[in-house]
Amino acid sequence: MTEKVSFEDKLKQLDQIVTALEQGDRPLETALADFKTGVTLAKDLQKTLAEAEKTLAKVMQDDGSMTDLELTNND
């Protein structure tokens, strides 16, 4: 059984990879592996954010159906 890693944990891991790569003292092979992991994490995080955005752009109707949220600027 695999445990799903949270968005926050993935973001923290990506931050740690970026920090380590910025220091510039890692062997090339390790840096490349970290970079690949970082790219994968970034793509996963972007996908999660896109899905969240789609969910937030919907409004639940009284009958349980979903409809698009219409944003208006009433200045």
Side-chain angles (χ1 to χ4, degrees):
M1 182 166 97
T2 60
E3 186 175 320
K4 186 174 179 178
V5 180
S6 73
F7 178 87
E8 291 78 10
D9 288 341
K10 286 181 183 180
L11 189 58
K12 185 176 180 179
Q13 184 180 358
L14 179 59
D15 185 51
Q16 291 170 343
I17 289 170
V18 169
T19 300
L21 289 173
E22 286 178 341
Q23 291 175 355
D25 59 355
R26 301 177 73 73
L28 180 60
E29 294 81 9
T30 304
L32 286 173
D34 288 348
F35 181 79
K36 287 179 183 179
T37 301
V39 169
T40 300
L41 285 167
K43 287 180 181 181
D44 287 348
L45 292 167
Q46 287 175 335
K47 181 180 176 184
T48 301
L49 287 174
E51 290 171 3
E53 184 178 303
K54 287 178 187 176
T55 299
L56 292 174
K58 301 279 185 180
V59 177
M60 183 69 74
Q61 297 296 311
D62 289 338
D63 65 359
S65 65
M66 299 290 276
T67 186
D68 289 334
L69 176 65
E70 293 183 26
L71 299 176
T72 58
N73 189 359
N74 295 329
D75 287 5

